[in-house]
Amino acid sequence: MPKTGFDLVVIGSGPAGESAALNAAKQHKKVAVIEVNTQVGGACTHKGTIPSKALRHTVKQLMRFNNGTLFREIGHSRQIPYPTVLKHAISVVEQQVDMRSKFYGRNNIAVYKGHAKFINDQHLSVTRADGSVEELHSQEFVIATGSRPYHPPDVPFEHSRVYDSDTILSLEHTPRKLIIYGAGVIGCEYASIFSGLGIKVELINSFENLLAFLDDEISVALDYHLRESGVMVRHREVYERVEANQEGISLHLQSGKIIRGDALLWCNGRSGNTQNLGLENIGLSSDGRGQIKVNQRYQTDVPNIYAVGDVIGSPSLASAAYDQGRAAASSNDKDVRFVDDVPTGIYTIPEISSVGRTERELTDNRIPFEVGRAFFKDTARGQISGEGTGMLKILFCPSTLRILGIHCFGAEATEIIHIGQAIMKQPETANTIRYFVETTFNYPTMAEAYRIAALNGLNRLTGY
């Protein structure tokens, strides 16, 4: 078996693995990346973030055409088949693969295509598709193998009408009615995407409310707008069994209800890709969801082996994964940052983003706060662009004016949030809501909502 030596070997080429490899290469380390698929980019590029958000963008364009008064004057609304929309959306994947492949080439990072398995804490084997095996030796390793949709054993995923968040991107027909089980981030995103295509959607939520980690007001707004777009949202429902045949899907709920549709999209959790990695050969184990425990340095219980990204669990975001990978590969401890303050980014239609604490958290912890709101329908840019749905909410301390949380629902929320995040990260008295009234914003812009919300909140302090 051929053997090759490196300073660092990264398993996985998604956001976490890529950033780890590039940071190590910038520090003049000899680096290798192992990718089990034929192309780099990981699930983020091929099955998750990139194709699903590109699909959302395409659907939103179609919705804009169908709902716009100008377009109605020049033609009828268009119902475009899902496979056609998907084909146009995922063209961006090729661009991403080409760009990321060049990253490795420019930085002299060796890329191995095959399945990695630890032999011991300094050696692993790479088994290629043709069966050939090569052994790699390294001083350090980073496990960045990502995650996959969780498959309960009693759900017939082998049936042609049953999909998960990976396989839905290969759906070759347009269902009349889609059942989505699981109303987490992925479930809510796909509910808004498919309803935007004019497909009937049943969204089954096991909990009291949608996305309970959000600010209550935002959660209620999401629920309302999904229903307004035609989604049937069912709360506090748990599945009992799934029946699938050539006629359709029957989802039996513990409440006694039977929900019928043409296809089922299962969006109920994910599992870390740690199977067959040979963790037992290095004294490591994963939990019931395939996740690996790490410390604040992203070290596992084996000091020279690190783990980052979805494989370590929450927050399971591409944004966090990039920073985690970079931190794990840093030689200088001063450059290591444990990622624990990531803004949420939820690409429903409209989208959602937040950073900091919610009203419920502040109230439960008896922390005084005041609220400033700006509704997009009251902004000039919102009126011009037709993006009047949504709001920006700032939570701040009444005495110090320190910003405690920012919550946004509406167009470009995931972009807008970073303005507030930048002020919240400022030290001591520089974190203040007064920044937004003492700084001139471009007009008209969606960012102007910060000025409106800040004035609204400060006016509350005076009783007006």
Side-chain angles (χ1 to χ4, degrees), residues 157-220:
F157 288 96
E158 70 282 356
H159 196 279
S160 60
R161 291 181 179 270
V162 180
Y163 298 86
D164 60 29
S165 57
D166 285 356
T167 58
I168 197 66
L169 293 169
S170 59
L171 177 63
E172 295 180 349
H173 68 281
T174 304
R176 291 172 300 172
K177 182 179 178 182
L178 177 67
I179 303 169
I180 301 178
Y181 186 81
V185 171
I186 295 174
C188 288
E189 289 180 348
Y190 273 112
S192 65
I193 288 171
F194 279 99
S195 65
L197 288 171
I199 296 168
K200 293 182 179 179
V201 176
E202 294 260 2
L203 179 62
I204 313 301
N205 179 29
S206 302
F207 303 99
E208 291 279 349
N209 302 298
L210 294 179
L211 306 179
F213 60 87
L214 293 175
D215 186 85
D216 290 347
E217 190 173 4
I218 303 298
S219 175
V220 170

Side-chain angles (χ1 to χ4, degrees), residues 91-144:
S91 60
V92 70
V93 171
E94 295 180 4
Q95 300 175 50
Q96 286 279 308
V97 171
D98 181 63
M99 177 183 70
R100 299 189 184 289
S101 297
K102 290 177 180 177
F103 289 164
Y104 296 119
R106 286 202 302 265
N107 288 277
N108 297 314
I109 297 171
V111 178
Y112 292 81
K113 305 291 179 62
H115 177 77
K117 184 174 183 178
F118 283 102
I119 300 171
N120 54 46
D121 62 1
Q122 292 197 342
H123 298 83
L124 57 71
S125 61
V126 181
T127 303
R128 300 185 180 88
D130 62 5
S132 62
V133 180
E134 183 168 355
E135 183 177 323
L136 304 185
H137 169 271
S138 181
Q139 299 298 316
E140 295 181 316
F141 297 88
V142 172
I143 301 173

Side-chain angles (χ1 to χ4, degrees), residues 303-314:
N304 69 314
I305 298 177
Y306 301 76
V308 289
D310 281 13
V311 80
I312 66 172
S314 181

